[in-house]
Amino acid sequence: MELIFEISKQGRKGYSLSACDVPEIEISARFRRKKIAALPEVSEPQVMRHFVNLSSMNHHVDKDFYPLGSCTMKYNPKINEETSRLDGFTDLHPLQPEKTTQGALRLMYELGDYLKKIVNLDAITLQPAAGAQGEFTAISMFKTHFNKQNEARQYILVPDSAHGTNPASVNFSGFKPITQPSNDKGLVDVSKLKELMNEEFAGLMLTNPNTLGLFEKEVKEITAIVHEKGGLVYLDGANLNPLLGITRPGDMGFDAVHFNLHKTFSTPHGGGGPGAGPVAVTKTLAPYLPVPIVSKRDSMYTLDYDLPDTIGKVQTFYGNFLVLVRAYTYLRMVGEQGLRKISKSAILNANYIIQLLKDDYYLPFDGFCMHEGVLSGKALRDRGVKTLDIAKRLLDFGLHAPTVYFPLIVSEALMIEPTDSESKETLDYFIDVMKQIRKDAEDHPDILKSAPHNTPVRRLDEVKAIKELKVKWTNQNSK
Ligand SMILES: *Cc1c(COP(=O)(O)O)cnc(C)c1O
């Protein structure tokens, strides 16, 4: 496909206007460009076709199934886009007087309130722009908490199945991560935790259900062991999708949790942002929240900066406000009963796939999963087929691949998360394709090794893409 600059023709325009019937005014040279901007000159149909075609070259959730484990690539309802484009929201300035922004503040206050109820915790910030930043925010609050108590705790336990952002957040917040091993069921090894946990540890970061899609059944005992030694427990809330309206992290003993609004609450994921990763905490941690927080006094909503022990700000202004509008819309649309249904569907969809594929692929940890399940492609290794080849072959069928090679504790991992928004027909199609791929691995593995065949580009040099990052088009001719 040609670049829009390559289809540009001098003088071509995307509009046509009748002759000007008012006197033309010369704009002062002070406000004019010295040199004409090097923009493409194209007609409106050319622009339209260019971007429509471009939008179908890559995979996305509006195009087809996207079972990328742990990322919760659920459908983003278009009503969210309608509300987040309302003038009353888009025309706001973040420094406007509060009395003129009551609607926006109310929306943030109510969204915070819903989220707190969902997890049963006491206080919240909507400021972080992603899950990873939510983790950093909460663990920094842990740091301030222990500093206040004159306790020099240095370490935080992180399970070996955790997302890479967990140890990174621990490091960024001034602690050192120590690995908490899993047992042979893929769950936290509780007796090991008892041995490891002492007063040098600020606490534990846990993902529940964990990244194998398994619910930590001994979660109450786990949080109690950490609390007994004065530690705090953080829930990586990226896997909240199967818990909504069924159980609450606050009841399990967690002190802090982040939400990924772009996962659980249907706001768009996009190139690492803009997302939103609100953090809810207990009363004990509330004094350390980033400022401002949205409060309600009498019947007025207000931005509260009066937190002397705050960790400070983690984002400009109040976070990604229009993402919050989308999540609020979703919550108002589905309501309390709908939340429970979302989680039940997410769990049912995941188990349907895993149960129907477990004889074709290897299931490393048996039993039922929550909203996602992990299979292994290791049986295909004999045929010289790698899990990456399966991932690439799925693209030929118009399907995105599951997460591959994560969690790290499963070799040739295929982590499948269908989400709640898929129909049985879509799940059946995915299952059929996965069975076909399994068969092809036996009969003609070369089809898999050389996949994808039907995509605009074939196998990319992923190492080169990372090492020689090119994010900008430069016009060779315009220099
Ligand atoms: C997605 C994810 C994160 C990080 O969230 P971002 O919003 O991508 O920063 C952390 N932990 C787990 C388990 C995740 O799936």
Side-chain angles (χ1 to χ4, degrees), residues 104-132:
L105 293 175
R106 177 178 163 192
L107 182 143
M108 289 199 278
Y109 184 85
E110 289 185 358
L111 174 63
D113 220 38
Y114 298 150
L115 295 176
K116 283 190 294 185
K117 284 199 181 104
I118 287 170
V119 294
N120 193 24
L121 283 168
D122 307 314
I124 194 159
T125 173
L126 304 174
Q127 228 178 75

Side-chain angles (χ1 to χ4, degrees), residues 126-295:
L126 304 174
Q127 228 178 75
Q133 203 186 18
E135 293 171 25
F136 167 74
T137 302
I139 304 300
S140 298
M141 291 165 67
F142 284 16
K143 186 86 186 164
T144 308
H145 169 76
F146 289 112
N147 284 348
K148 282 267 149 203
Q149 321 226 326
N150 285 323
E151 285 192 61
R153 296 183 184 234
Q154 290 184 60
Y155 306 107
I156 291 198
L157 287 162
V158 179
D160 52 9
S161 59
H163 194 277
T165 51
N166 289 195
S169 300
V170 168
N171 272 313
F172 266 90
S173 313
F175 293 106
K176 292 189 192 76
I178 302 285
T179 303
Q180 159 67 43
S182 303
N183 62 21
D184 59 2
K185 295 193 178 67
L187 300 169
V188 166
D189 188 329
V190 176
S191 57
K192 262 271 156 36
L193 174 66
K194 263 188 204 144
E195 266 171 48
L196 280 168
M197 184 63 204
N198 62 41
E199 274 83 7
E200 286 186 69
F201 287 86
L204 166 74
M205 286 184 93
L206 197 67
T207 309
N208 193 23
N210 66 20
T211 59
L212 294 163
L214 304 175
F215 191 82
E216 296 283 354
K217 293 189 189 71
E218 294 176 283
V219 62
K220 281 191 139 174
E221 190 174 354
I222 292 168
T223 54
I225 291 168
V226 178
H227 286 155
E228 214 166 277
K229 303 285 181 190
L232 297 167
V233 201
Y234 180 78
L235 176 69
D236 177 335
N239 289 349
L240 203 64
N241 212 39
L243 305 183
L244 305 171
I246 295 177
T247 181
R248 303 177 300 181
D251 301 342
M252 303 174 200
F254 288 100
D255 300 284
V257 54
H258 82 250
F259 304 80
N260 300 67
L261 298 189
H262 46 289
K263 294 182 180 172
T264 318
F265 300 101
S266 85
T267 74
H269 296 239
V279 172
V281 297
T282 56
K283 276 195 191 68
T284 313
L285 291 171
Y288 316 121
L289 284 170
V291 281
I293 51 170
V294 189
S295 306

Side-chain angles (χ1 to χ4, degrees), residues 118 328-342:
I118 287 170
Y328 179 83
T329 306
Y330 182 68
L331 275 166
R332 290 299 301 258
M333 184 175 69
V334 298
E336 220 170 308
Q337 291 310 312
L339 282 179
R340 209 181 158 84
K341 234 165 111 182
I342 287 167

Side-chain angles (χ1 to χ4, degrees), residues 396-439:
D396 283 335
F397 295 92
L399 299 167
H400 197 278
T403 296
V404 291
Y405 302 110
F406 179 78
L408 304 175
I409 55 173
V410 173
S411 79
E412 301 293 323
L414 281 156
M415 183 196 216
I416 305 166
E417 180 182 11
T419 82
D420 43 284
S421 47
E422 297 300 334
S423 66
K424 180 168 176 293
E425 290 76 16
T426 303
L427 305 183
D428 285 335
Y429 178 62
F430 174 72
I431 291 163
D432 287 348
V433 170
M434 286 292 282
K435 284 181 184 290
Q436 181 63 45
I437 289 175
R438 181 69 183 93
K439 206 162 158 291

